[in-house]
Every structure is written in structure tokens, then in C-alpha cells.
Amino acid sequence: MSIRIEVKSTELVQRTVTQRSTNKQFSFAEQTAWAHTVDTNGNPNPYPEKIRVTLPRGQENAYPVGEYTLHPGSFYVGQYGDLAMSVRLVPVKPR
């Protein structure tokens, strides 16, 4: 089972943060989406949950309105050996 993510708007929010250790600023764009998640037993939740998706570096345009799932490359092993995620969306092909 994969998580279904629904994009309902192409509106982007530009954010800028400052890294404490270097005082360097980073800018990125975020887009609102809705994740259709499951509970701890694997049962679908009755309503989608609002999430923020940070656009991948180099992607300037918002994800078009539509249905998506997570790209397998969204997951990686983090700095301390934990499973980490950086969301990348892949369109779901119509059935």
C-alpha cells in the first residue's frame, strides 16, 4: 500500500531560514497538499491530512493539481543511520 497525496492548488509559499551555525540563509518553496494516511492498524483514516511539501532543489514550478504518491527516492538513510525522508512526488496514473 502506498500513501496517496492530493495536490489541490499550485500556490507556492516562499520561505527563508537562517542556519544558526553559519548564519547563512536558505530559501525554498513549499506547497500545500493532502495526505491520505492510515492508522496504526493500517486502516485508512476517514479524512486526508494537510501537509507541506518542500519542492526539490532545482524544481521551480509547483506540482500540478492532481493525485500523487511518494517517489522511492524520497527515502534515504540519515546521518545517524535512521530512515529519513525528503518528499518527492510522482503522479498517479489514471486507472
Side-chain angles (χ1 to χ4, degrees), residues 32-71:
T32 299
W34 299 87
H36 295 263
T37 57
V38 297
D39 64 20
T40 55
N41 295 318
N43 300 313
N45 285 319
Y47 304 104
E49 298 179 73
K50 186 177 181 179
I51 62 170
R52 292 180 311 206
V53 175
T54 301
L55 295 188
R57 190 173 294 158
Q59 180 176 328
E60 295 181 15
N61 296 324
Y63 287 103
V65 171
E67 290 190 17
Y68 296 83
T69 190
L70 295 173
H71 185 281

PDB file of all heavy atoms in Angstrom, residues 32-71:
ATOM      1  N   THR A  32       1.103  23.288  -0.358  1.00  0.00           N
ATOM      2  CA  THR A  32       0.170  22.540   0.480  1.00  0.00           C
ATOM      3  C   THR A  32      -0.376  21.352  -0.300  1.00  0.00           C
ATOM      4  O   THR A  32      -0.673  21.457  -1.487  1.00  0.00           O
ATOM      5  CB  THR A  32      -0.993  23.441   0.932  1.00  0.00           C
ATOM      6  OG1 THR A  32      -0.457  24.519   1.707  1.00  0.00           O
ATOM      7  CG2 THR A  32      -2.002  22.682   1.768  1.00  0.00           C
ATOM      8  N   ALA A  33      -0.485  20.232   0.389  1.00  0.00           N
ATOM      9  CA  ALA A  33      -1.065  19.022  -0.202  1.00  0.00           C
ATOM     10  C   ALA A  33      -1.849  18.308   0.895  1.00  0.00           C
ATOM     11  O   ALA A  33      -1.809  18.697   2.071  1.00  0.00           O
ATOM     12  CB  ALA A  33       0.019  18.126  -0.782  1.00  0.00           C
ATOM     13  N   TRP A  34      -2.528  17.252   0.513  1.00  0.00           N
ATOM     14  CA  TRP A  34      -3.345  16.472   1.443  1.00  0.00           C
ATOM     15  C   TRP A  34      -2.932  15.015   1.358  1.00  0.00           C
ATOM     16  O   TRP A  34      -2.968  14.420   0.285  1.00  0.00           O
ATOM     17  CB  TRP A  34      -4.818  16.647   1.117  1.00  0.00           C
ATOM     18  CG  TRP A  34      -5.231  18.084   1.259  1.00  0.00           C
ATOM     19  CD1 TRP A  34      -5.148  19.063   0.307  1.00  0.00           C
ATOM     20  CD2 TRP A  34      -5.716  18.707   2.433  1.00  0.00           C
ATOM     21  NE1 TRP A  34      -5.565  20.258   0.825  1.00  0.00           N
ATOM     22  CE2 TRP A  34      -5.927  20.070   2.136  1.00  0.00           C
ATOM     23  CE3 TRP A  34      -6.004  18.256   3.721  1.00  0.00           C
ATOM     24  CZ2 TRP A  34      -6.404  20.984   3.061  1.00  0.00           C
ATOM     25  CZ3 TRP A  34      -6.493  19.171   4.637  1.00  0.00           C
ATOM     26  CH2 TRP A  34      -6.687  20.504   4.312  1.00  0.00           C
ATOM     27  N   ALA A  35      -2.523  14.444   2.494  1.00  0.00           N
ATOM     28  CA  ALA A  35      -2.072  13.049   2.534  1.00  0.00           C
ATOM     29  C   ALA A  35      -3.191  12.156   3.044  1.00  0.00           C
ATOM     30  O   ALA A  35      -3.784  12.417   4.090  1.00  0.00           O
ATOM     31  CB  ALA A  35      -0.852  12.921   3.445  1.00  0.00           C
ATOM     32  N   HIS A  36      -3.467  11.119   2.297  1.00  0.00           N
ATOM     33  CA  HIS A  36      -4.456  10.121   2.700  1.00  0.00           C
ATOM     34  C   HIS A  36      -3.688   9.040   3.461  1.00  0.00           C
ATOM     35  O   HIS A  36      -3.050   8.176   2.861  1.00  0.00           O
ATOM     36  CB  HIS A  36      -5.180   9.551   1.471  1.00  0.00           C
ATOM     37  CG  HIS A  36      -5.986  10.586   0.763  1.00  0.00           C
ATOM     38  ND1 HIS A  36      -7.338  10.741   0.975  1.00  0.00           N
ATOM     39  CD2 HIS A  36      -5.634  11.536  -0.129  1.00  0.00           C
ATOM     40  CE1 HIS A  36      -7.785  11.740   0.234  1.00  0.00           C
ATOM     41  NE2 HIS A  36      -6.769  12.234  -0.438  1.00  0.00           N
ATOM     42  N   THR A  37      -3.729   9.130   4.786  1.00  0.00           N
ATOM     43  CA  THR A  37      -2.913   8.282   5.648  1.00  0.00           C
ATOM     44  C   THR A  37      -3.733   7.126   6.239  1.00  0.00           C
ATOM     45  O   THR A  37      -4.942   7.035   6.023  1.00  0.00           O
ATOM     46  CB  THR A  37      -2.315   9.114   6.794  1.00  0.00           C
ATOM     47  OG1 THR A  37      -3.389   9.739   7.517  1.00  0.00           O
ATOM     48  CG2 THR A  37      -1.379  10.196   6.254  1.00  0.00           C
ATOM     49  N   VAL A  38      -3.040   6.282   6.980  1.00  0.00           N
ATOM     50  CA  VAL A  38      -3.689   5.147   7.649  1.00  0.00           C
ATOM     51  C   VAL A  38      -3.390   5.207   9.142  1.00  0.00           C
ATOM     52  O   VAL A  38      -2.443   5.852   9.577  1.00  0.00           O
ATOM     53  CB  VAL A  38      -3.198   3.794   7.069  1.00  0.00           C
ATOM     54  CG1 VAL A  38      -3.574   3.673   5.606  1.00  0.00           C
ATOM     55  CG2 VAL A  38      -1.703   3.632   7.241  1.00  0.00           C
ATOM     56  N   ASP A  39      -4.213   4.505   9.934  1.00  0.00           N
ATOM     57  CA  ASP A  39      -3.980   4.456  11.376  1.00  0.00           C
ATOM     58  C   ASP A  39      -2.934   3.381  11.699  1.00  0.00           C
ATOM     59  O   ASP A  39      -2.379   2.748  10.792  1.00  0.00           O
ATOM     60  CB  ASP A  39      -5.292   4.241  12.147  1.00  0.00           C
ATOM     61  CG  ASP A  39      -5.961   2.905  11.854  1.00  0.00           C
ATOM     62  OD1 ASP A  39      -5.297   1.961  11.376  1.00  0.00           O
ATOM     63  OD2 ASP A  39      -7.173   2.789  12.134  1.00  0.00           O
ATOM     64  N   THR A  40      -2.671   3.159  12.978  1.00  0.00           N
ATOM     65  CA  THR A  40      -1.633   2.209  13.391  1.00  0.00           C
ATOM     66  C   THR A  40      -1.956   0.771  13.016  1.00  0.00           C
ATOM     67  O   THR A  40      -1.069  -0.075  13.013  1.00  0.00           O
ATOM     68  CB  THR A  40      -1.389   2.296  14.912  1.00  0.00           C
ATOM     69  OG1 THR A  40      -2.634   2.091  15.590  1.00  0.00           O
ATOM     70  CG2 THR A  40      -0.819   3.646  15.292  1.00  0.00           C
ATOM     71  N   ASN A  41      -3.211   0.491  12.682  1.00  0.00           N
ATOM     72  CA  ASN A  41      -3.603  -0.856  12.252  1.00  0.00           C
ATOM     73  C   ASN A  41      -3.631  -0.996  10.729  1.00  0.00           C
ATOM     74  O   ASN A  41      -4.016  -2.041  10.208  1.00  0.00           O
ATOM     75  CB  ASN A  41      -4.976  -1.222  12.822  1.00  0.00           C
ATOM     76  CG  ASN A  41      -4.952  -1.326  14.324  1.00  0.00           C
ATOM     77  OD1 ASN A  41      -4.011  -1.876  14.892  1.00  0.00           O
ATOM     78  ND2 ASN A  41      -5.961  -0.775  14.980  1.00  0.00           N
ATOM     79  N   GLY A  42      -3.262   0.079  10.026  1.00  0.00           N
ATOM     80  CA  GLY A  42      -3.250   0.031   8.573  1.00  0.00           C
ATOM     81  C   GLY A  42      -4.573   0.366   7.926  1.00  0.00           C
ATOM     82  O   GLY A  42      -4.724   0.230   6.719  1.00  0.00           O
ATOM     83  N   ASN A  43      -5.545   0.809   8.718  1.00  0.00           N
ATOM     84  CA  ASN A  43      -6.862   1.179   8.184  1.00  0.00           C
ATOM     85  C   ASN A  43      -6.844   2.629   7.714  1.00  0.00           C
ATOM     86  O   ASN A  43      -6.297   3.492   8.406  1.00  0.00           O
ATOM     87  CB  ASN A  43      -7.946   1.010   9.251  1.00  0.00           C
ATOM     88  CG  ASN A  43      -8.037  -0.415   9.732  1.00  0.00           C
ATOM     89  OD1 ASN A  43      -8.068  -1.342   8.930  1.00  0.00           O
ATOM     90  ND2 ASN A  43      -8.052  -0.599  11.042  1.00  0.00           N
ATOM     91  N   PRO A  44      -7.443   2.925   6.562  1.00  0.00           N
ATOM     92  CA  PRO A  44      -7.457   4.307   6.073  1.00  0.00           C
ATOM     93  C   PRO A  44      -8.144   5.242   7.071  1.00  0.00           C
ATOM     94  O   PRO A  44      -9.182   4.902   7.628  1.00  0.00           O
ATOM     95  CB  PRO A  44      -8.262   4.225   4.777  1.00  0.00           C
ATOM     96  CG  PRO A  44      -8.224   2.792   4.375  1.00  0.00           C
ATOM     97  CD  PRO A  44      -8.118   2.004   5.651  1.00  0.00           C
ATOM     98  N   ASN A  45      -7.529   6.405   7.299  1.00  0.00           N
ATOM     99  CA  ASN A  45      -8.180   7.428   8.117  1.00  0.00           C
ATOM    100  C   ASN A  45      -9.340   8.010   7.327  1.00  0.00           C
ATOM    101  O   ASN A  45      -9.322   8.028   6.092  1.00  0.00           O
ATOM    102  CB  ASN A  45      -7.172   8.519   8.488  1.00  0.00           C
ATOM    103  CG  ASN A  45      -6.218   8.058   9.559  1.00  0.00           C
ATOM    104  OD1 ASN A  45      -6.611   7.390  10.513  1.00  0.00           O
ATOM    105  ND2 ASN A  45      -4.949   8.396   9.424  1.00  0.00           N
ATOM    106  N   PRO A  46     -10.382   8.485   8.021  1.00  0.00           N
ATOM    107  CA  PRO A  46     -11.579   8.951   7.315  1.00  0.00           C
ATOM    108  C   PRO A  46     -11.370  10.225   6.497  1.00  0.00           C
ATOM    109  O   PRO A  46     -12.106  10.474   5.546  1.00  0.00           O
ATOM    110  CB  PRO A  46     -12.599   9.180   8.426  1.00  0.00           C
ATOM    111  CG  PRO A  46     -11.802   9.331   9.670  1.00  0.00           C
ATOM    112  CD  PRO A  46     -10.547   8.539   9.465  1.00  0.00           C
ATOM    113  N   TYR A  47     -10.367  11.035   6.854  1.00  0.00           N
ATOM    114  CA  TYR A  47     -10.141  12.303   6.158  1.00  0.00           C
ATOM    115  C   TYR A  47      -8.654  12.461   5.856  1.00  0.00           C
ATOM    116  O   TYR A  47      -7.813  12.039   6.643  1.00  0.00           O
ATOM    117  CB  TYR A  47     -10.610  13.481   7.018  1.00  0.00           C
ATOM    118  CG  TYR A  47     -12.052  13.370   7.424  1.00  0.00           C
ATOM    119  CD1 TYR A  47     -12.400  12.988   8.720  1.00  0.00           C
ATOM    120  CD2 TYR A  47     -13.070  13.630   6.513  1.00  0.00           C
ATOM    121  CE1 TYR A  47     -13.725  12.864   9.092  1.00  0.00           C
ATOM    122  CE2 TYR A  47     -14.399  13.511   6.878  1.00  0.00           C
ATOM    123  CZ  TYR A  47     -14.719  13.132   8.165  1.00  0.00           C
ATOM    124  OH  TYR A  47     -16.031  13.010   8.522  1.00  0.00           O
ATOM    125  N   PRO A  48      -8.322  13.117   4.741  1.00  0.00           N
ATOM    126  CA  PRO A  48      -6.916  13.386   4.455  1.00  0.00           C
ATOM    127  C   PRO A  48      -6.364  14.418   5.432  1.00  0.00           C
ATOM    128  O   PRO A  48      -7.119  15.198   6.019  1.00  0.00           O
ATOM    129  CB  PRO A  48      -6.931  13.921   3.025  1.00  0.00           C
ATOM    130  CG  PRO A  48      -8.317  14.412   2.800  1.00  0.00           C
ATOM    131  CD  PRO A  48      -9.207  13.604   3.691  1.00  0.00           C
ATOM    132  N   GLU A  49      -5.037  14.410   5.590  1.00  0.00           N
ATOM    133  CA  GLU A  49      -4.372  15.345   6.495  1.00  0.00           C
ATOM    134  C   GLU A  49      -3.558  16.351   5.701  1.00  0.00           C
ATOM    135  O   GLU A  49      -2.875  15.999   4.746  1.00  0.00           O
ATOM    136  CB  GLU A  49      -3.467  14.569   7.453  1.00  0.00           C
ATOM    137  CG  GLU A  49      -4.258  13.598   8.322  1.00  0.00           C
ATOM    138  CD  GLU A  49      -3.371  12.809   9.259  1.00  0.00           C
ATOM    139  OE1 GLU A  49      -2.873  13.404  10.233  1.00  0.00           O
ATOM    140  OE2 GLU A  49      -3.182  11.613   9.001  1.00  0.00           O
ATOM    141  N   LYS A  50      -3.634  17.615   6.127  1.00  0.00           N
ATOM    142  CA  LYS A  50      -2.927  18.691   5.446  1.00  0.00           C
ATOM    143  C   LYS A  50      -1.430  18.574   5.724  1.00  0.00           C
ATOM    144  O   LYS A  50      -1.016  18.415   6.875  1.00  0.00           O
ATOM    145  CB  LYS A  50      -3.450  20.043   5.941  1.00  0.00           C
ATOM    146  CG  LYS A  50      -2.890  21.232   5.217  1.00  0.00           C
ATOM    147  CD  LYS A  50      -3.551  22.489   5.751  1.00  0.00           C
ATOM    148  CE  LYS A  50      -3.046  23.723   5.061  1.00  0.00           C
ATOM    149  NZ  LYS A  50      -3.719  24.928   5.589  1.00  0.00           N
ATOM    150  N   ILE A  51      -0.618  18.652   4.649  1.00  0.00           N
ATOM    151  CA  ILE A  51       0.837  18.587   4.795  1.00  0.00           C
ATOM    152  C   ILE A  51       1.470  19.708   3.973  1.00  0.00           C
ATOM    153  O   ILE A  51       0.827  20.303   3.112  1.00  0.00           O
ATOM    154  CB  ILE A  51       1.413  17.223   4.342  1.00  0.00           C
ATOM    155  CG1 ILE A  51       1.132  16.976   2.857  1.00  0.00           C
ATOM    156  CG2 ILE A  51       0.867  16.087   5.198  1.00  0.00           C
ATOM    157  CD1 ILE A  51       1.865  15.779   2.283  1.00  0.00           C
ATOM    158  N   ARG A  52       2.748  19.976   4.249  1.00  0.00           N
ATOM    159  CA  ARG A  52       3.534  20.907   3.453  1.00  0.00           C
ATOM    160  C   ARG A  52       4.572  20.089   2.702  1.00  0.00           C
ATOM    161  O   ARG A  52       5.269  19.262   3.287  1.00  0.00           O
ATOM    162  CB  ARG A  52       4.258  21.921   4.335  1.00  0.00           C
ATOM    163  CG  ARG A  52       3.336  22.878   5.036  1.00  0.00           C
ATOM    164  CD  ARG A  52       4.129  23.830   5.879  1.00  0.00           C
ATOM    165  NE  ARG A  52       5.080  23.060   6.700  1.00  0.00           N
ATOM    166  CZ  ARG A  52       5.572  23.445   7.848  1.00  0.00           C
ATOM    167  NH1 ARG A  52       5.247  24.599   8.331  1.00  0.00           N
ATOM    168  NH2 ARG A  52       6.404  22.701   8.527  1.00  0.00           N
ATOM    169  N   VAL A  53       4.679  20.333   1.414  1.00  0.00           N
ATOM    170  CA  VAL A  53       5.662  19.646   0.582  1.00  0.00           C
ATOM    171  C   VAL A  53       6.686  20.688   0.137  1.00  0.00           C
ATOM    172  O   VAL A  53       6.333  21.687  -0.487  1.00  0.00           O
ATOM    173  CB  VAL A  53       4.998  19.004  -0.653  1.00  0.00           C
ATOM    174  CG1 VAL A  53       6.037  18.389  -1.572  1.00  0.00           C
ATOM    175  CG2 VAL A  53       3.972  17.962  -0.220  1.00  0.00           C
ATOM    176  N   THR A  54       7.948  20.471   0.493  1.00  0.00           N
ATOM    177  CA  THR A  54       9.021  21.347   0.040  1.00  0.00           C
ATOM    178  C   THR A  54       9.431  20.904  -1.355  1.00  0.00           C
ATOM    179  O   THR A  54       9.714  19.720  -1.575  1.00  0.00           O
ATOM    180  CB  THR A  54      10.228  21.272   1.000  1.00  0.00           C
ATOM    181  OG1 THR A  54       9.800  21.669   2.310  1.00  0.00           O
ATOM    182  CG2 THR A  54      11.347  22.180   0.544  1.00  0.00           C
ATOM    183  N   LEU A  55       9.456  21.824  -2.288  1.00  0.00           N
ATOM    184  CA  LEU A  55       9.846  21.465  -3.645  1.00  0.00           C
ATOM    185  C   LEU A  55      11.307  21.031  -3.670  1.00  0.00           C
ATOM    186  O   LEU A  55      12.141  21.619  -2.983  1.00  0.00           O
ATOM    187  CB  LEU A  55       9.661  22.648  -4.592  1.00  0.00           C
ATOM    188  CG  LEU A  55       8.238  23.146  -4.820  1.00  0.00           C
ATOM    189  CD1 LEU A  55       8.232  24.191  -5.934  1.00  0.00           C
ATOM    190  CD2 LEU A  55       7.287  22.032  -5.157  1.00  0.00           C
ATOM    191  N   PRO A  56      11.621  20.003  -4.458  1.00  0.00           N
ATOM    192  CA  PRO A  56      13.013  19.563  -4.569  1.00  0.00           C
ATOM    193  C   PRO A  56      13.900  20.683  -5.115  1.00  0.00           C
ATOM    194  O   PRO A  56      13.434  21.528  -5.899  1.00  0.00           O
ATOM    195  CB  PRO A  56      12.949  18.405  -5.563  1.00  0.00           C
ATOM    196  CG  PRO A  56      11.542  17.935  -5.539  1.00  0.00           C
ATOM    197  CD  PRO A  56      10.719  19.163  -5.236  1.00  0.00           C
ATOM    198  N   ARG A  57      15.149  20.680  -4.708  1.00  0.00           N
ATOM    199  CA  ARG A  57      16.117  21.673  -5.180  1.00  0.00           C
ATOM    200  C   ARG A  57      16.142  21.641  -6.711  1.00  0.00           C
ATOM    201  O   ARG A  57      16.209  20.576  -7.318  1.00  0.00           O
ATOM    202  CB  ARG A  57      17.498  21.337  -4.629  1.00  0.00           C
ATOM    203  CG  ARG A  57      18.514  22.437  -4.864  1.00  0.00           C
ATOM    204  CD  ARG A  57      19.802  22.122  -4.163  1.00  0.00           C
ATOM    205  NE  ARG A  57      19.548  22.158  -2.714  1.00  0.00           N
ATOM    206  CZ  ARG A  57      20.293  21.546  -1.815  1.00  0.00           C
ATOM    207  NH1 ARG A  57      21.318  20.827  -2.181  1.00  0.00           N
ATOM    208  NH2 ARG A  57      20.005  21.626  -0.535  1.00  0.00           N
ATOM    209  N   GLY A  58      16.057  22.796  -7.322  1.00  0.00           N
ATOM    210  CA  GLY A  58      16.073  22.891  -8.779  1.00  0.00           C
ATOM    211  C   GLY A  58      14.698  22.864  -9.423  1.00  0.00           C
ATOM    212  O   GLY A  58      14.563  23.175 -10.603  1.00  0.00           O
ATOM    213  N   GLN A  59      13.677  22.494  -8.676  1.00  0.00           N
ATOM    214  CA  GLN A  59      12.310  22.494  -9.219  1.00  0.00           C
ATOM    215  C   GLN A  59      11.682  23.839  -8.910  1.00  0.00           C
ATOM    216  O   GLN A  59      11.464  24.184  -7.757  1.00  0.00           O
ATOM    217  CB  GLN A  59      11.468  21.371  -8.609  1.00  0.00           C
ATOM    218  CG  GLN A  59      10.041  21.334  -9.142  1.00  0.00           C
ATOM    219  CD  GLN A  59       9.235  20.163  -8.606  1.00  0.00           C
ATOM    220  OE1 GLN A  59       9.778  19.109  -8.349  1.00  0.00           O
ATOM    221  NE2 GLN A  59       7.948  20.373  -8.440  1.00  0.00           N
ATOM    222  N   GLU A  60      11.406  24.611  -9.943  1.00  0.00           N
ATOM    223  CA  GLU A  60      10.873  25.960  -9.753  1.00  0.00           C
ATOM    224  C   GLU A  60       9.355  26.015  -9.784  1.00  0.00           C
ATOM    225  O   GLU A  60       8.752  26.883  -9.163  1.00  0.00           O
ATOM    226  CB  GLU A  60      11.447  26.901 -10.813  1.00  0.00           C
ATOM    227  CG  GLU A  60      12.953  27.084 -10.681  1.00  0.00           C
ATOM    228  CD  GLU A  60      13.515  28.031 -11.721  1.00  0.00           C
ATOM    229  OE1 GLU A  60      12.724  28.752 -12.360  1.00  0.00           O
ATOM    230  OE2 GLU A  60      14.732  28.047 -11.883  1.00  0.00           O
ATOM    231  N   ASN A  61       8.751  25.107 -10.529  1.00  0.00           N
ATOM    232  CA  ASN A  61       7.299  25.132 -10.672  1.00  0.00           C
ATOM    233  C   ASN A  61       6.626  24.228  -9.646  1.00  0.00           C
ATOM    234  O   ASN A  61       7.158  23.180  -9.279  1.00  0.00           O
ATOM    235  CB  ASN A  61       6.896  24.687 -12.081  1.00  0.00           C
ATOM    236  CG  ASN A  61       7.412  25.640 -13.134  1.00  0.00           C
ATOM    237  OD1 ASN A  61       7.457  26.842 -12.925  1.00  0.00           O
ATOM    238  ND2 ASN A  61       7.823  25.101 -14.264  1.00  0.00           N
ATOM    239  N   ALA A  62       5.438  24.646  -9.250  1.00  0.00           N
ATOM    240  CA  ALA A  62       4.651  23.859  -8.304  1.00  0.00           C
ATOM    241  C   ALA A  62       4.218  22.549  -8.959  1.00  0.00           C
ATOM    242  O   ALA A  62       4.169  22.434 -10.187  1.00  0.00           O
ATOM    243  CB  ALA A  62       3.409  24.652  -7.890  1.00  0.00           C
ATOM    244  N   TYR A  63       3.911  21.563  -8.118  1.00  0.00           N
ATOM    245  CA  TYR A  63       3.312  20.338  -8.633  1.00  0.00           C
ATOM    246  C   TYR A  63       1.933  20.694  -9.169  1.00  0.00           C
ATOM    247  O   TYR A  63       1.177  21.406  -8.499  1.00  0.00           O
ATOM    248  CB  TYR A  63       3.168  19.290  -7.528  1.00  0.00           C
ATOM    249  CG  TYR A  63       4.471  18.656  -7.105  1.00  0.00           C
ATOM    250  CD1 TYR A  63       5.094  19.034  -5.920  1.00  0.00           C
ATOM    251  CD2 TYR A  63       5.072  17.670  -7.874  1.00  0.00           C
ATOM    252  CE1 TYR A  63       6.284  18.447  -5.526  1.00  0.00           C
ATOM    253  CE2 TYR A  63       6.263  17.074  -7.486  1.00  0.00           C
ATOM    254  CZ  TYR A  63       6.864  17.465  -6.310  1.00  0.00           C
ATOM    255  OH  TYR A  63       8.048  16.883  -5.917  1.00  0.00           O
ATOM    256  N   PRO A  64       1.574  20.210 -10.358  1.00  0.00           N
ATOM    257  CA  PRO A  64       0.222  20.483 -10.880  1.00  0.00           C
ATOM    258  C   PRO A  64      -0.845  19.829  -9.994  1.00  0.00           C
ATOM    259  O   PRO A  64      -0.580  18.853  -9.296  1.00  0.00           O
ATOM    260  CB  PRO A  64       0.232  19.831 -12.268  1.00  0.00           C
ATOM    261  CG  PRO A  64       1.672  19.685 -12.633  1.00  0.00           C
ATOM    262  CD  PRO A  64       2.394  19.491 -11.330  1.00  0.00           C
ATOM    263  N   VAL A  65      -2.037  20.368 -10.046  1.00  0.00           N
ATOM    264  CA  VAL A  65      -3.174  19.781  -9.330  1.00  0.00           C
ATOM    265  C   VAL A  65      -3.328  18.339  -9.795  1.00  0.00           C
ATOM    266  O   VAL A  65      -3.252  18.053 -10.996  1.00  0.00           O
ATOM    267  CB  VAL A  65      -4.455  20.599  -9.592  1.00  0.00           C
ATOM    268  CG1 VAL A  65      -5.677  19.892  -9.034  1.00  0.00           C
ATOM    269  CG2 VAL A  65      -4.316  22.001  -9.007  1.00  0.00           C
ATOM    270  N   GLY A  66      -3.511  17.426  -8.846  1.00  0.00           N
ATOM    271  CA  GLY A  66      -3.685  16.025  -9.201  1.00  0.00           C
ATOM    272  C   GLY A  66      -3.355  15.102  -8.045  1.00  0.00           C
ATOM    273  O   GLY A  66      -3.141  15.548  -6.917  1.00  0.00           O
ATOM    274  N   GLU A  67      -3.309  13.807  -8.340  1.00  0.00           N
ATOM    275  CA  GLU A  67      -3.011  12.788  -7.340  1.00  0.00           C
ATOM    276  C   GLU A  67      -1.604  12.257  -7.541  1.00  0.00           C
ATOM    277  O   GLU A  67      -1.165  12.040  -8.665  1.00  0.00           O
ATOM    278  CB  GLU A  67      -4.028  11.655  -7.416  1.00  0.00           C
ATOM    279  CG  GLU A  67      -5.398  12.079  -6.943  1.00  0.00           C
ATOM    280  CD  GLU A  67      -6.347  10.906  -6.785  1.00  0.00           C
ATOM    281  OE1 GLU A  67      -5.892   9.752  -6.718  1.00  0.00           O
ATOM    282  OE2 GLU A  67      -7.556  11.155  -6.731  1.00  0.00           O
ATOM    283  N   TYR A  68      -0.921  12.026  -6.418  1.00  0.00           N
ATOM    284  CA  TYR A  68       0.469  11.614  -6.425  1.00  0.00           C
ATOM    285  C   TYR A  68       0.703  10.515  -5.398  1.00  0.00           C
ATOM    286  O   TYR A  68      -0.122  10.265  -4.528  1.00  0.00           O
ATOM    287  CB  TYR A  68       1.380  12.805  -6.067  1.00  0.00           C
ATOM    288  CG  TYR A  68       1.323  13.925  -7.067  1.00  0.00           C
ATOM    289  CD1 TYR A  68       0.313  14.883  -7.027  1.00  0.00           C
ATOM    290  CD2 TYR A  68       2.292  14.035  -8.059  1.00  0.00           C
ATOM    291  CE1 TYR A  68       0.258  15.906  -7.946  1.00  0.00           C
ATOM    292  CE2 TYR A  68       2.253  15.064  -8.985  1.00  0.00           C
ATOM    293  CZ  TYR A  68       1.233  15.999  -8.925  1.00  0.00           C
ATOM    294  OH  TYR A  68       1.182  17.007  -9.838  1.00  0.00           O
ATOM    295  N   THR A  69       1.876   9.915  -5.499  1.00  0.00           N
ATOM    296  CA  THR A  69       2.384   9.016  -4.475  1.00  0.00           C
ATOM    297  C   THR A  69       3.844   9.402  -4.258  1.00  0.00           C
ATOM    298  O   THR A  69       4.385  10.243  -4.980  1.00  0.00           O
ATOM    299  CB  THR A  69       2.211   7.534  -4.884  1.00  0.00           C
ATOM    300  OG1 THR A  69       2.510   6.719  -3.756  1.00  0.00           O
ATOM    301  CG2 THR A  69       3.096   7.168  -6.046  1.00  0.00           C
ATOM    302  N   LEU A  70       4.485   8.806  -3.257  1.00  0.00           N
ATOM    303  CA  LEU A  70       5.880   9.142  -2.969  1.00  0.00           C
ATOM    304  C   LEU A  70       6.823   8.424  -3.922  1.00  0.00           C
ATOM    305  O   LEU A  70       6.684   7.228  -4.164  1.00  0.00           O
ATOM    306  CB  LEU A  70       6.221   8.760  -1.532  1.00  0.00           C
ATOM    307  CG  LEU A  70       5.478   9.541  -0.453  1.00  0.00           C
ATOM    308  CD1 LEU A  70       5.770   8.950   0.917  1.00  0.00           C
ATOM    309  CD2 LEU A  70       5.849  11.004  -0.504  1.00  0.00           C
ATOM    310  N   HIS A  71       7.783   9.143  -4.448  1.00  0.00           N
ATOM    311  CA  HIS A  71       8.833   8.565  -5.279  1.00  0.00           C
ATOM    312  C   HIS A  71       9.719   7.710  -4.380  1.00  0.00           C
ATOM    313  O   HIS A  71       9.999   8.092  -3.233  1.00  0.00           O
ATOM    314  CB  HIS A  71       9.654   9.697  -5.907  1.00  0.00           C
ATOM    315  CG  HIS A  71      10.689   9.234  -6.866  1.00  0.00           C
ATOM    316  ND1 HIS A  71      11.897   8.712  -6.453  1.00  0.00           N
ATOM    317  CD2 HIS A  71      10.696   9.215  -8.210  1.00  0.00           C
ATOM    318  CE1 HIS A  71      12.614   8.398  -7.514  1.00  0.00           C
ATOM    319  NE2 HIS A  71      11.904   8.689  -8.596  1.00  0.00           N
TER     320      HIS A  71
END
